[in-house]
Amino acid sequence: MTTALHIAFSQHRGHLVSRQEDALLVASALYQVADLAPRVLTVDVTAGLCALADGVASAPCPQRASRAVLDLLRAAGREGGADCQDGWIGPRLIRRQVHAQLCRQLGRNPRTRGAATTLALLQWRADRWSLVNVGDSRVYRIGREGDWRQLSLDHTYRQSMIARGEIAADQSLGQLFNDLQHMLIADDNEVDFAIHWQRGTWQPGDTFLLCTDGVHDTLGEVRLQALFQPGRALVDQVAVWRDAVLAAGAPDNFSLILLRLTAASAG
């Protein structure tokens, strides 16, 4: 039996934002365009990575921060090195290479110092996967029966309060509490940021969704899951979510990547 990894992806500037502040990294290609129609490709399951980053609009030059982080990760994925952890891109590489180089590229110019972005990354090697996230760009795992689980951790003030037991997960708070508490910032003084790292194995039929908050905040988790059909082709599923976000007003940039491992009998 052979396996193949299929990836569908798309991004859009949204209706209310003048520039694309998200960036996408898929199969070593980096995208940051106003309107990227859904497309699909098949990649090597032996090793690879994909990622997305959402520039923080309240910080300077958000589009440069998101693109720079993914460009640095693309280089790290090719070169590896001592900062990889058991061969994986983990917190050590994010801190020592990605953040340090982001600070060198953007943090030493007064016009770009403080540029910030979120990050969600999925890396794979054969039947194993690893994810890293900073901020509120998310990674979901969808089982073969359509069951959902959020693997990433939102680095927001609300989530931090839930983790400390200060509020219940279903407790309603003001919008301020949904603001980011941790992100990648182009500033040598901003080193105390949280990184979530998780590893596991996957089976044929497993699906992973990476998306920025322009998707999950606009649709909400209930509608995001309701629009998913396990048997639908990946590129068609991406198109369904994209159309739903646009129909809902698309108030923010949005990007999404959908991956599925499939099995086929040899011969």
Side-chain angles (χ1 to χ4, degrees), residues 3 5 44-48 88 124-129 201-202 261:
T3 56
L5 182 59
D44 184 4
V45 74
T46 304
W88 297 107
W124 60 87
R125 300 207 308 256
D127 63 345
R128 294 179 294 162
W129 54 263
T201 60
W202 59 10
L261 189 67

Side-chain angles (χ1 to χ4, degrees), residues 18 39 45 51 64 81 109 137-138 144 152 185 195 200 218 231 234 247 250 258:
S18 61
R39 59 181 66 184
V45 74
R64 292 188 61 181
N109 184 329
S137 289
R138 292 182 180 173
R144 285 167 286 180
S152 57
I185 305 175
I195 303 174
T218 300
L234 289 191
L258 194 62

